Amino acid sequence: MVMNTKSMNTSYRHNYHLMPSQGWMNDPNGFSLFNQEYHLFYQHYPYATEWGPMHWGHATSKDLIRWNHKAIALKPDQPYDRNGVFSGSGMTVGNEHWLYYTGHTDTHLNQLYDEHYQKKQHATPFPDEPLIRQVQCLAISKDGVNYEKFHGNPVISSEEIPEDIRLEDFRDPKVWSHEQSFYMAVGAKTIGLTGTVLFYTSKNGVNWNYLNRLELGPDYGTVWECPDLFELDGKHVLLFSPQDKVRKGNQFENVHSTMALIGEFDYNTGYFTIETEQELDQGFDFYAPQTTLTAENKRVMIAWMNMWDINYPLHAHDHGWNGSMTLPRELSITDGRMIQKPYHLIENHQRHLVEKQRFFIKEHYRNPAFYGNSQRLDIRLNMQYSSQFSISFFKGKNEKLILTLDKQHHQITLNRKQSQYPIESLVSKNDFIRSMTIDLTKPVQLSVFLDVSSIEIFINQGEHTITSLFFTKEQGNEVTFYSEGETCIEEMKKWEIM
Ligand code: FRU
């Protein structure tokens, strides 16, 4: 069964962000360089616009911006992954492309379609065997097109998990190599219901030994998903996506968050010493990021530009597709903080520059030259003589997405309430505002990427980012400004992105 592509509604499809050609997309997987091409796989259900038994969709790119869709790389077709090929990572090993993923089985589901299951269940030597199991598996390709599952799967079975880890929450292997050895970070949940990441090591990528774990207690969420560990600017960074992380002021306001720990990882002991921590993005729709090293040796990250437990209109209104990825972001560390910049090759896709130097905005400012819904807008401003400055995006008659810089309260907020297709959280009512604390007495720099139904905002050269989706009935494309007092615009530049 394949979805009827004629029923595809293209009104909210992006122009320069990766989306599935049809059906559902979540986490980026297997992000890696193989045979001089970038490969990005993703959690994919081709038959509906909601999550289902996971496949790995596959796309390749030369510049990380323009992607070519390939055939589905992995399907749930083995006894150990029959209910889902869950998230994981990819790397080049010799001349081969190796993908590590989580095999997911759910005996609830199996009971429904395997009439023999009941018999087997009774025969099991473990009567209290969990209904859900997650194990780590390997698939190998020689050509970057056809992927074959390893005959010895799973490479880490339920027997190789520490006793206090839930067998049903052990997933998303990120594998990398370091000095002749392989290392794996796996997301997990303890039987005490706290999130953790487990580290394994291997000489050959097939036989794995448990090394250590990192656990930070109940404030850090109930399960850690999609870990990624890498070196950056002389430090080690551990990324992960904790579900139900406890909110801290205006940080971690989403039900599920994404964070970075920066410090030192000891390869001998598997011990991670934390120096600083931060939330990765302070918008609504950013989850499960994964990184790779580019051909120019830059560390680049891509995240799923959506969030769990949210009611997106793409599914409710049957658009035929649902889910997309953020732009690739170049990472670096300054003063213990992770900085994210739009990957520089986006510049090759920017056209028709419009710019205006040094002018003042007082009350309303509108200039059709800066309108658009598929564009980059770079602004340098200072609020020495103003108290508030705001920009409305995707503006029509009754709808707009509002970014406000409030000098007195040291806050930047994004408000997505004014839409006739409000994006409702299924767990917290009336949740339409995200804010962050920032010193606005100094000059501010913004780079804003609009793409039909998404916005990515990079503040002060990537010190902070805000990512959000936005769907409107009117599909307005005005970008207008408002200032209380006089805001000095040092420079405003706009490019269309095709
Ligand atoms: C994160 C996640 C992963 C899992 C995958 C299933 O978004 O929940 O932990 O492998 O999605 O699609």
Side-chain angles (χ1 to χ4, degrees):
M1 177 190 42
V2 171
M3 263 176 37
N4 177 4
T5 40
K6 283 202 199 102
S7 68
M8 179 73 74
N9 179 337
T10 57
S11 23
Y12 296 122
R13 286 192 59 89
H14 305 294
N15 284 325
Y16 57 94
H17 285 78
L18 178 66
M19 309 160 282
S21 51
Q22 62 175 28
W24 167 268
M25 166 190 272
N26 62 283
D27 314 355
N29 294 155
F31 190 18
S32 50
L33 184 59
F34 175 69
N35 278 356
Q36 282 131 48
E37 268 193 319
Y38 295 104
H39 292 252
L40 186 64
F41 304 82
Y42 51 89
Q43 291 285 278
H44 183 41
Y45 187 53
Y47 309 119
T49 52
E50 58 188 334
W51 192 83
M54 283 290 108
H55 297 52
W56 275 33
H58 185 193
T60 58
S61 174
K62 291 275 183 209
D63 70 353
L64 295 174
I65 308 290
R66 285 284 175 261
W67 294 93
N68 297 311
H69 285 286
K70 300 280 171 191
I72 287 175
L74 300 172
K75 294 181 180 167
D77 53 11
Q78 299 296 316
Y80 51 79
D81 65 15
R82 64 185 293 189
N83 303 113
V85 178
F86 274 19
S87 286
S89 55
M91 65 190 291
T92 297
V93 178
N95 296 325
E96 297 176 336
H97 198 198
W98 287 27
L99 304 180
Y100 288 91
Y101 69 92
T102 296
H104 173 83
T105 46
D106 182 338
T107 52
H108 279 299
L109 292 177
N110 292 345
Q111 243 155 348
L112 295 177
Y113 52 69
D114 184 343
E115 50 188 64
H116 301 297
Y117 185 76
Q118 213 92 34
K119 254 198 269 157
K120 276 192 224 152
Q121 170 93 333
H122 288 153
T124 174
F126 310 108
D128 55 359
E129 180 182 31
L131 289 167
I132 297 177
R133 285 232 169 170
Q134 298 188 331
V135 293
Q136 311 321 321
C137 306
L138 171 65
I140 296 178
S141 174
K142 292 197 188 315
D143 58 7
V145 179
N146 303 293
Y147 290 82
E148 210 168 289
K149 292 179 184 170
F150 177 57
H151 60 85
N153 274 343
V155 294
I156 303 185
S157 71
S158 300
E159 279 71 50
E160 295 159 275
I161 310 180
E163 264 184 8
D164 65 332
I165 298 298
R166 285 159 56 95
L167 305 186
E168 60 270 53
D169 287 297
F170 172 61
R171 57 180 174 268
D172 313 336
K174 169 75 190 203
V175 178
W176 72 101
S177 63
H178 175 79
E179 291 178 356
Q180 320 297 324
S181 288
F182 291 81
Y183 290 83
M184 183 192 286
V186 192
K189 181 182 198 162
T190 65
I191 51 175
L193 310 185
T194 53
T196 177
V197 62
L198 309 181
F199 298 113
Y200 287 80
T201 178
S202 169
K203 284 287 168 217
N204 58 8
V206 168
N207 306 105
W208 291 87
N209 293 310
Y210 174 69
L211 184 61
N212 208 336
R213 72 164 80 174
L214 178 71
E215 207 179 311
L216 298 172
D219 281 1
Y220 285 81
T222 51
V223 60
W224 290 4
E225 301 191 309
C226 302
D228 190 352
L229 193 150
F230 51 88
E231 280 179 50
L232 185 65
D233 295 337
K235 295 282 172 201
H236 290 110
V237 178
L238 178 65
L239 304 184
F240 59 98
S241 297
Q243 293 216 328
D244 314 299
K245 160 104 180 65
V246 172
R247 187 173 164 165
K248 208 170 153 194
N250 56 11
Q251 290 199 61
F252 306 106
E253 287 188 85
N254 292 327
V255 181
H256 312 302
S257 308
T258 302
M259 61 184 299
L261 303 174
I262 300 175
E264 293 294 339
F265 180 67
D266 183 327
Y267 276 102
N268 293 320
T269 60
Y271 190 82
F272 194 99
T273 310
I274 302 168
E275 290 167 15
T276 54
E277 62 173 65
Q278 74 189 71
E279 182 174 27
L280 267 183
D281 186 282
Q282 284 186 264
F284 299 90
D285 303 293
F286 183 97
Y287 198 69
Q290 192 172 81
T291 71
T292 196
L293 214 47
T294 65
E296 334 96 309
N297 224 25
K298 291 180 191 295
R299 181 59 61 172
V300 169
M301 172 176 79
I302 288 183
W304 180 38
M305 192 160 60
N306 286 69
M307 181 55 73
W308 293 116
D309 302 323
I310 292 204
N311 197 4
Y312 293 106
L314 294 177
H315 174 61
H317 297 274
D318 240 350
H319 279 240
W321 71 284
N322 196 358
S324 48
M325 296 295 166
T326 64
L327 282 179
R329 301 178 182 183
E330 240 166 88
L331 305 181
S332 58
I333 296 177
T334 304
D335 298 333
R337 190 171 171 84
M338 192 144 99
I339 308 295
Q340 304 170 45
K341 296 196 173 142
Y343 182 56
H344 66 104
L345 291 183
I346 186 72
E347 287 161 19
N348 293 343
H349 301 270
Q350 299 173 183
R351 301 276 180 281
H352 310 306
L353 169 65
V354 174
E355 65 186 308
K356 200 164 151 68
Q357 306 287 335
R358 215 179 147 78
F359 65 106
F360 286 87
I361 293 182
K362 191 176 171 190
E363 301 187 341
H364 294 282
Y365 176 74
R366 45 173 75 226
N367 178 347
F370 292 104
Y371 289 2
N373 71 355
S374 174
Q375 64 179 29
R376 173 181 188 159
L377 189 66
D378 278 15
I379 306 177
R380 278 195 297 117
L381 60 93
N382 93 60
M383 297 179 67
Q384 198 177 355
Y385 303 111
S386 61
S387 55
Q388 268 206 20
F389 178 68
S390 60
I391 314 177
S392 297
F393 300 101
F394 301 113
K395 189 168 179 303
K397 218 161 159 241
N398 302 300
E399 301 172 292
K400 58 186 170 189
L401 174 67
I402 314 162
L403 182 76
T404 303
L405 283 61
D406 179 337
K407 189 171 75 179
Q408 196 191 342
H409 297 101
H410 312 288
Q411 278 208 341
I412 293 189
T413 56
L414 184 74
N415 183 334
R416 67 174 178 182
K417 183 157 188 174
Q418 276 193 56
S419 145
Q420 293 176 69
Y421 291 135
I423 305 176
E424 293 274 9
S425 161
L426 300 176
V427 271
S428 51
K429 281 267 155 275
N430 222 4
D431 182 25
F432 297 112
I433 296 178
R434 287 290 172 272
S435 62
M436 63 174 59
T437 307
I438 193 159
D439 181 3
L440 296 170
T441 59
K442 299 193 190 128
V444 183
Q445 188 273 338
L446 303 172
S447 287
V448 182
F449 291 83
L450 303 175
D451 194 1
V452 185
S453 52
S454 69
I455 188 166
E456 285 177 82
I457 306 169
F458 297 78
I459 301 166
N460 290 344
Q461 314 288 354
E463 255 175 48
H464 297 267
T465 61
I466 311 179
T467 304
S468 177
L469 296 177
F470 192 65
F471 304 93
T472 65
K473 223 177 206 166
E474 302 163 353
Q475 297 195 269
N477 76 340
E478 293 181 18
V479 178
T480 63
F481 305 84
Y482 180 78
S483 171
E484 269 172 31
E486 280 192 310
T487 298
C488 176
I489 308 293
E490 309 278 2
E491 184 178 72
M492 184 139 90
K493 286 182 167 182
K494 177 205 120 174
W495 299 261
E496 281 166 32
I497 304 184
M498 316 304 286

